Amino acid sequence: MKKTKIRPFLCLLLHFLQIYSAEGISCPSLPLKSLTCYNDFSHTMNCVWNSSAVYGDAEDVCTVHAEYKSTDHPYNASCDLKPFDVSKPALKNCSLFFKRKYVFWTTHNISINVNCMPSKRSESIFYNPSCHIKVNPPGKPTINQTTVTWFTQVEKHKMIKNFRYQLQWKQKDESWHYLSEKKECKWECMEQLKPNLLMKDETYEARVRVQAFYKSLSGTWSEWSPTESWVSQVGSPKPAS
């Protein structure tokens, strides 16, 4: 009888420990050894490998293989590394595409291996996808007078509900200005431009980017959204030339 009473308590304790570990993740900084990998917390992972940090043959063909071993939902993907900058041939990158969407979870610990032939050099890391998220860029913003609206993702993200955002705007052919620094929103976002910072009949541009924001998620900023341009109908009168 004592054993049957203790078992439910131990199961409940284990459940809470798993929740605590998922929410209190201590994320290592990138790169991990020579690898820098970001993922969209869905089904895509992009990796950059600094091959100069590992001695080997310049003629090597190198492959990245990522795998999560599980009895319930195992998954894996591979890609071939290619130089992406002629001026920095040691830096190679590729993208891994997993077969189903929203495959990653906060508790997953993925093994990532780089293998090169014919030198047989290799490198291995363990990777928590919730620590290194880089979501897709937002959709192009819409500007109505001084109101800027946009969607945080072109396709609504099932696993991420909260985002930080940055909005940049500028007069055409000038430098970008930050209007918002790390404000928060969910799916549809809105920001206001100050009319006194605009000049009537001048052409302006705006763009936004977002970052996953939740206590168990960490990562970097997305790429910038497509840029929207408009001719301001409000603001100070344009000075005579």
Side-chain angles (χ1 to χ4, degrees):
M1 288 294 291
K2 288 183 179 179
K3 288 183 178 179
T4 57
K5 289 181 180 179
I6 291 173
R7 280 175 185 169
F9 172 76
L10 289 175
C11 291
L12 186 63
L13 178 62
L14 179 61
H15 172 71
F16 281 111
L17 285 173
Q18 288 174 336
I19 293 174
Y20 176 80
S21 63
E23 294 185 350
I25 293 170
S26 177
C27 292
S29 58
L30 294 175
L32 298 172
K33 293 186 178 178
S34 303
L35 270 169
T36 299
C37 297
Y38 284 106
N39 69 91
D40 62 357
F41 212 56
S42 174
H43 65 290
T44 303
M45 185 185 299
N46 298 291
C47 291
V48 176
W49 187 51
N50 183 3
S51 62
S52 65
V54 182
Y55 178 78
D57 192 337
E59 301 301 320
D60 269 352
V61 176
C62 301
T63 301
V64 177
H65 180 75
E67 182 175 11
Y68 175 66
K69 295 181 179 179
S70 168
T71 55
D72 297 327
H73 301 291
Y75 56 85
N76 64 80
S78 299
C79 64
D80 295 330
L81 288 160
K82 306 286 185 183
F84 65 95
D85 189 339
V86 177
S87 64
K88 299 176 182 177
L91 294 178
K92 307 175 189 295
N93 77 324
C94 67
S95 297
L96 301 100
F97 301 99
F98 298 87
K99 290 183 179 179
R100 63 180 186 273
K101 287 187 175 182
Y102 307 112
V103 68
F104 304 128
W105 288 84
T106 56
T107 54
H108 287 184
N109 199 18
I110 301 170
S111 64
I112 301 179
N113 302 294
V114 178
N115 293 295
C116 299
M117 295 298 288
S119 71
K120 296 184 179 180
R121 60 176 172 163
S122 63
E123 193 164 56
S124 301
I125 62 169
F126 285 101
Y127 178 87
N128 186 322
S130 64
C131 281
H132 309 292
I133 299 171
K134 184 176 181 178
V135 291
N136 295 319
K140 181 188 285 188
T142 300
I143 293 93
N144 183 4
Q145 300 292 344
T146 58
T147 302
V148 185
T149 58
W150 69 93
F151 292 105
T152 51
Q153 298 285 272
V154 174
E155 180 181 338
K156 204 167 187 177
H157 202 294
K158 181 180 176 181
M159 304 295 291
I160 303 172
K161 307 299 182 184
N162 300 310
F163 296 85
R164 286 193 179 104
Y165 70 85
Q166 289 181 330
L167 167 64
Q168 283 188 332
W169 67 278
K170 67 170 184 169
Q171 190 173 328
K172 191 176 181 179
D173 301 326
E174 292 189 355
S175 300
W176 288 103
H177 306 285
Y178 278 103
L179 177 63
S180 305
E181 283 285 348
K182 296 185 179 180
K183 288 190 177 181
E184 298 167 22
C185 65
K186 296 183 182 293
W187 165 234
E188 189 172 5
C189 307
M190 184 181 71
E191 188 62 85
Q192 294 289 339
L193 299 171
K194 294 181 179 179
N196 64 330
L197 297 177
L198 302 175
M199 192 172 294
K200 193 174 181 180
D201 297 326
E202 282 290 342
T203 301
Y204 290 88
E205 297 177 340
R207 64 182 185 179
V208 288
R209 64 179 180 177
V210 294
Q211 182 183 42
F213 175 64
Y214 193 67
K215 56 188 173 182
S216 61
L217 304 178
S218 181
T220 190
W221 290 103
S222 71
E223 299 297 326
W224 289 102
S225 71
T227 299
E228 179 65 299
S229 62
W230 78 103
V231 177
S232 179
Q233 300 302 309
V234 300
S236 306
K238 189 174 181 179
S241 57

